[in-house]
Amino acid sequence: MKITSTSCICPVLVCLCFVQRCYGTAHHGSIKVTRNQTKHIEGETEVHHRPKRGWVWNQFFVLEEHMGPDPQYVGKLHSNSDKGDGSVKYILTGEGAGTIFIIDDTTGDIHSTKSLDREQKTHYVLHAQAIDRRTNKPLEPESEFIIKVQDINDNAPKFTDGPYIVTVPEMSDLGTSVLQVTATDADDPTYGNSARVVYSILQGQPYFSVDPKTGVIRTALHNMDREAREHYSVVIQAKDMAGQVGGLSGSTTVNITLTDVNDNPPRFPQKHYQLYVPESAQVGSAVGKIKANDADTGSNADMTYSIINGDGVGIFSISTDKDTREGILSLKKPLNYEKKKSYTLNIEGANTHLDFRFSHLGPFKDATMLKIIVGDVDEPPLFSMPSYVMEVYENAKVGTVVGTVLAQDPDSANSLVRYFINYSVEEDRFFNIDANTGTIKTSKVLDREETPWYNITVGASENDNPGLLSHVTVGIRVLDVNDNPPELAREYDIVVCENSKPGQVIHTISATDKDDFANGPRFNFFLDESLPMNPNFTLKDNEDNTASILTRRRRFSRTIQDVYYLPIMISDGGIPSLSSSSTLTIRVCACERDGRVRTCHAEAFLSSAGLSTGALIAILLCVVILLAIVVLFITLRRSKKEPLIISEEDVRENVVTYDDEGGGEEDTEAFDITALRNPSAAEELKYRRDIRPEVKFTPRHQTLSTLESIDVQEFIKQRLAEADLDPSVPPYDSLQTYAYEGQRSEAGSISSLDSATTQSDQDYHYLGDWGPEFKKLAELYGEIESERTT
């Protein structure tokens, strides 16, 4: 089977297409392939051979973007078996078969029914087969061929990253690379010039240029100045077909900004400036500003200001404000219009960040002259000194002159000045001042020991302008006079041991004086000569502002006298000297051999008998132990219980024993215990608790009278008769026990059984006087008494 095509554009296949078309034209547009045969000679048998396939060209071409009304002819399929009688049927399968590509099954003509886009799909793979129309059997094996979509220039170049923003330093050299742009073309780069792009500049000349092949943008001028023009908009075009006429093009914009370099020195707008500053300006305050202009920006415009010369170098200073790039002029010393009325300063401003590539454009600094005019101001009075210190003696009379302050008007008018003292509302006014002369005097008597120093504030104002004030601090020191006698430094607790020896130092004393050092020490200690000589103690002046107390005799006794008094005299070193008297109290104490004080109180009589503290403690401990033994013995005796049946030889089979333990003396609910001990206290007859008897109650007064009228023996007999005649008792013998302590004695009962029902008149307050041993007992009975009272 032979495939023919009428579309052949590829230069490599021009000759083949030419041969194909010429051959096809001679045979009505198709290549006829006949079956290979061998003529037979008469007498010879016909020999059949395998037919040879004709020339196969397995590639078709179809133009993309076909817009015609009829389907585009692609090519023709033809089999050697096709005799032209329609017995051969051509079948087309593969990509796009039946939808994009159709075939005439009789003639084998292939047509494209749709417009194709090479950029979407470059080729299609199909399969062709010739079959017998009658038998549907293949006449030849299936053949594969390709239909390629032939490219046309239908895509313009595109800049995928545009628009662009880029910077380049100003003053750059010619040809400095700025940016490289790249455009892409979707057409086939292997076929023709459809994808061959050439770059050109549409806007931005003569400042920039572009390389037509690489798309590199470069500077085209020398020394491009940012201060002249900062922003540029450059339009770059990319055109395919190698830039020929008819090619498609695309463009993009490149925004180029010149960045700053330090190529401009600072400049003062003027060469001479004038500044007015009043003489009242405060030291350290800003009095003016000055600024030099710099066309650069950022750090390239940073500068510093300095005063290079002038007669005001020591009076003024200048600093740089980094935010505003201004020079701030400040005052270093006070101005005085009357002394100097103007100053001249030469101020320089210089860049801090220099670029030595542009040093030929320098110098990068500038200077100007500033004239400062000092303004006259009506100033407040000026004191002759910044502060005053004065002295005055204490106890001076009211009106004593302390000192004088002086203030003058510094202005040429020289107005009169008035003085006054600033006092707060609560402050005591110890001084006053003459309003005209400034003389300070005392208004109260001063006491150095109370306040040794005074600080007052004196103000001055002009008579013509009272609003202009000035103040000065005046310190007044109060001088001391000897007006306080010396006194003992503290209250002394002086002790003398009983075993002291004559001449022994028992204590050292010192003195103090409220007066100043000059009128206080040195102190003199001595005994009052007007009194008779003390036989027990004496005083020795140590001549170091202390004195020692010494004994005159040996052995002191607390039993004879436990306290002694020693009057002494103390004088100071002031002129005239002052003295005072004091009395020392000396206690007699018992001391150890090493001098430590043991006790200063009178001991009990046992101590005089020779018993030591350890012996007394041992005796008391023995007494306590004996008391504990006695209490324990009594407790054990009371805790023993009597058995209900004394004799164990009991012939009865059943013995009912009642062993109920009561609640003690405080248990008054279970039974009346007084009835068991004293028949006269019983209110009614008691019956057995194991059987519920029928009880006939009688009045209380009848029962008491009956019990008191009978004897104990009769009472017991009566009880025995009741037990024998009681029908409710068990049918065996039982034992009933009765106890009777008798009638009350004249002294009364010592038992506490009745204590819960009777009130006692006993007063236990005397227990508190028996000492600490009976303290707990007194507290207990005190609580009982308080409960009874409540």
Side-chain angles (χ1 to χ4, degrees):
M1 183 173 62
K2 186 175 292 184
I3 302 171
T4 62
S5 175
T6 59
S7 300
C8 186
I9 306 300
C10 181
V12 180
L13 303 176
V14 171
C15 59
L16 296 177
C17 291
F18 176 74
V19 173
Q20 178 188 10
R21 289 186 178 182
C22 295
Y23 187 81
T25 303
H27 293 81
H28 306 286
S30 64
I31 300 176
K32 185 178 181 180
V33 180
T34 60
R35 181 176 298 175
N36 294 327
Q37 300 181 12
T38 304
K39 294 181 179 181
H40 66 276
I41 304 174
E42 293 181 4
E44 294 183 3
T45 305
E46 182 179 17
V47 180
H48 295 276
H49 298 278
R50 182 179 181 271
K52 294 182 179 180
R53 298 186 64 182
W55 171 49
V56 177
W57 184 23
N58 62 347
Q59 186 168 275
F60 286 120
F61 290 91
V62 60
L63 289 175
E64 68 170 334
E65 305 294 345
H66 177 71
M67 305 302 293
D70 299 327
Q72 184 180 2
Y73 181 74
V74 179
K76 185 180 182 66
L77 298 178
H78 185 74
S79 174
N80 293 338
S81 301
D82 190 356
K83 303 299 183 178
D85 55 359
S87 61
V88 178
K89 182 180 179 179
Y90 296 97
I91 298 175
L92 184 65
T93 59
E95 296 179 338
T99 57
I100 300 176
F101 303 102
I102 59 175
I103 188 171
D104 189 330
D105 60 356
T106 302
T107 62
D109 293 330
I110 301 174
H111 290 81
S112 172
T113 61
K114 294 183 179 180
S115 177
L116 303 179
D117 188 356
R118 190 201 67 83
E119 285 71 39
Q120 294 183 358
K121 190 171 180 62
T122 60
H123 65 278
Y124 297 85
V125 179
L126 295 98
H127 298 84
Q129 190 174 29
I131 63 174
D132 191 320
R133 188 180 295 274
R134 291 186 300 273
T135 63
N136 288 331
K137 293 182 178 180
L139 300 176
E140 292 183 8
E142 186 180 74
S143 299
E144 181 181 282
F145 66 96
I146 297 174
I147 298 177
K148 288 190 175 182
V149 182
Q150 191 170 354
D151 183 50
I152 63 173
N153 189 18
D154 60 341
N155 290 279
K158 293 182 180 179
F159 294 92
T160 57
D161 297 332
Y164 301 88
I165 298 176
V166 67
T167 60
V168 62
E170 65 172 333
M171 309 300 290
S172 296
D173 296 334
L174 181 65
T176 301
S177 176
V178 179
L179 177 69
Q180 182 179 14
V181 295
T182 302
T184 58
D185 196 316
D187 291 328
D188 189 359
T190 63
Y191 176 73
N193 294 325
S194 298
R196 185 179 177 185
V197 178
V198 175
Y199 300 94
S200 62
I201 184 168
L202 301 181
Q203 178 182 322
Q205 294 176 333
Y207 306 104
F208 299 94
S209 63
V210 63
D211 189 298
K213 294 182 179 181
T214 63
V216 175
I217 302 173
R218 301 179 184 275
T219 57
L221 289 179
H222 289 282
N223 301 330
M224 296 177 65
D225 192 1
R226 185 199 66 84
E227 288 72 31
R229 183 177 177 179
E230 184 176 3
H231 301 287
Y232 296 86
S233 181
V234 179
V235 178
I236 303 297
Q237 182 189 65
K239 190 175 183 180
D240 57 14
M241 298 299 292
Q244 298 176 4
V245 178
L248 302 179
S249 64
S251 63
T252 186
T253 301
V254 180
N255 296 312
I256 303 175
T257 301
L258 298 183
T259 56
D260 185 58
V261 297
N262 191 8
D263 58 340
N264 293 279
R267 292 289 181 264
F268 286 101
Q270 301 175 211
K271 290 300 180 182
H272 296 85
Y273 291 89
Q274 186 169 307
L275 178 65
Y276 173 83
V277 180
E279 63 174 337
S280 59
Q282 299 295 322
V283 174
S285 62
V287 296
K289 299 179 182 180
I290 193 170
K291 184 176 182 180
N293 298 327
D294 194 323
D296 296 324
T297 60
S299 61
N300 295 319
D302 290 343
M303 66 184 73
T304 57
Y305 296 90
S306 59
I307 301 175
I308 53 179
N309 54 47
D311 57 357
V313 174
I315 306 298
F316 298 92
S317 63
I318 192 169
S319 60
T320 304
D321 190 331
K322 294 183 180 180
D323 296 329
T324 62
R325 296 188 176 93
E326 294 177 327
I328 308 300
L329 196 66
S330 302
L331 188 63
K332 291 174 61 178
K333 294 182 179 180
L335 301 176
N336 192 332
Y337 173 81
E338 288 72 25
K339 293 183 178 179
K340 191 171 181 60
K341 296 179 176 57
S342 65
Y343 296 91
T344 300
L345 299 176
N346 289 327
I347 299 176
E348 180 184 78
N351 282 141
T352 56
H353 305 287
L354 300 180
D355 193 338
F356 295 101
R357 295 178 299 170
F358 309 104
S359 58
H360 61 280
L361 301 176
F364 285 82
K365 59 183 178 180
D366 194 19
T368 187
M369 180 180 292
L370 175 62
K371 184 176 182 180
I372 300 175
I373 305 300
V374 180
D376 188 17
V377 178
D378 191 5
E379 300 175 89
L382 181 64
F383 283 95
S384 60
M385 297 176 63
S387 62
Y388 293 86
V389 176
M390 302 178 182
E391 295 179 345
V392 62
Y393 281 99
E394 65 174 332
N395 300 330
K397 296 180 180 180
V398 175
T400 300
V401 175
V402 179
T404 303
V405 296
L406 178 62
Q408 293 181 345
D409 183 10
D411 299 323
S412 57
N414 197 14
S415 301
L416 295 178
V417 176
R418 294 185 61 85
Y419 302 94
F420 59 92
I421 298 178
N422 284 340
Y423 281 113
S424 60
V425 178
E426 300 82 5
E427 189 175 0
D428 292 334
R429 303 189 176 187
F430 289 92
F431 306 94
N432 55 39
I433 190 171
D434 190 300
N436 297 320
T437 63
T439 301
I440 300 174
K441 299 180 180 180
T442 59
S443 58
K444 292 183 179 181
V445 176
L446 307 179
D447 186 0
R448 191 203 66 86
E449 287 72 35
E450 182 178 352
T451 306
W453 184 278
Y454 292 89
N455 287 318
I456 62 175
T457 301
V458 176
S461 64
E462 297 181 6
N463 290 342
D464 299 337
N465 190 357
L468 293 176
L469 302 175
S470 61
H471 299 84
V472 71
T473 301
V474 179
I476 300 176
R477 180 186 297 108
V478 181
L479 301 178
D480 183 54
V481 296
N482 193 16
D483 57 345
N484 290 280
E487 56 188 14
L488 289 175
R490 58 185 176 86
E491 293 289 336
Y492 289 98
D493 182 17
I494 303 176
V495 174
V496 60
C497 295
E498 289 182 321
N499 56 357
S500 297
K501 298 178 181 179
Q504 181 178 347
V505 177
I506 61 175
H507 208 88
T508 300
I509 60 175
S510 61
T512 184
D513 197 324
K514 295 180 180 179
D515 291 325
D516 198 3
F517 184 83
N519 293 316
R522 160 185 184 312
F523 298 118
N524 294 317
F525 299 86
F526 54 93
L527 298 176
D528 191 354
E529 297 179 355
S530 61
L531 298 176
M533 184 180 64
N534 192 308
N536 302 309
F537 304 97
T538 184
L539 181 68
K540 176 184 178 183
D541 192 343
N542 296 327
E543 297 184 357
D544 58 354
N545 297 324
T546 63
S548 299
I549 308 300
L550 291 82
T551 57
R552 283 183 177 272
R553 64 183 179 87
R554 73 173 62 241
R555 292 199 176 275
F556 294 85
S557 176
R558 287 175 294 163
T559 58
I560 299 175
Q561 184 175 352
D562 58 349
V563 177
Y564 292 88
Y565 299 98
L566 178 64
I568 64 172
M569 300 290 293
I570 308 173
S571 63
D572 58 22
I575 301 175
S577 177
L578 297 180
S579 62
S580 64
S581 62
S582 299
T583 300
L584 299 177
T585 301
I586 304 174
R587 295 183 301 142
V588 180
C589 297
C591 302
E592 302 291 346
R593 292 184 177 181
D594 56 0
R596 291 179 300 169
V597 176
R598 187 171 71 241
T599 180
C600 293
H601 300 285
E603 296 180 354
F605 65 92
L606 291 176
S607 299
S608 60
L611 292 178
S612 63
T613 304
L616 292 175
I617 294 175
I619 294 173
L620 290 176
L621 184 61
C622 293
V623 173
V624 171
I625 293 174
L626 291 175
L627 289 176
I629 293 174
V630 172
V631 172
L632 181 61
F633 179 76
I634 295 174
T635 304
L636 293 176
R637 289 287 302 273
R638 289 184 178 180
S639 62
K640 292 182 179 180
K641 298 181 179 179
E642 295 293 338
L644 294 177
I645 299 178
I646 300 175
S647 175
E648 296 181 357
E649 298 178 358
D650 193 350
V651 297
R652 292 175 298 179
E653 295 179 356
N654 297 311
V655 177
V656 178
T657 302
Y658 297 93
D659 193 10
D660 295 337
E661 183 177 355
E665 297 180 356
E666 296 180 357
D667 187 4
T668 59
E669 301 296 332
F671 51 85
D672 189 359
I673 195 172
T674 58
L676 298 177
R677 297 299 181 183
N678 189 356
S680 63
E683 297 182 1
E684 60 183 63
L685 298 176
K686 303 297 180 181
Y687 297 94
R688 289 181 56 179
R689 290 179 293 174
D690 58 342
I691 299 175
R692 186 174 185 179
E694 295 181 358
V695 181
K696 296 181 179 180
F697 293 98
T698 58
R700 175 182 174 88
H701 63 87
Q702 295 180 6
T703 304
L704 293 175
S705 62
T706 302
L707 292 174
E708 291 177 356
S709 62
I710 63 177
D711 192 14
V712 177
Q713 185 178 4
E714 294 178 358
F715 173 77
I716 294 175
K717 290 180 179 181
Q718 183 181 354
R719 292 293 184 183
L720 179 61
E722 291 177 355
D724 294 337
L725 299 176
D726 189 358
S728 61
V729 299
Y732 46 80
D733 293 338
S734 61
L735 178 64
Q736 296 185 7
T737 303
Y738 298 93
Y740 174 62
E741 67 176 359
Q743 298 291 335
R744 296 180 180 270
S745 64
E746 295 181 359
S749 176
I750 62 173
S751 174
S752 60
L753 294 176
D754 296 334
S755 62
T757 59
T758 60
Q759 297 290 339
S760 175
D761 296 334
Q762 181 67 42
D763 186 6
Y764 298 101
H765 289 86
Y766 61 88
L767 294 176
D769 301 333
W770 286 11
E773 293 83 357
F774 298 91
K775 180 179 180 181
K776 185 63 179 180
L777 188 62
E779 290 178 355
L780 294 175
Y781 279 93
E783 294 178 358
I784 295 174
E785 288 298 324
S786 62
E787 291 177 359
R788 289 177 179 177
T789 304
T790 303

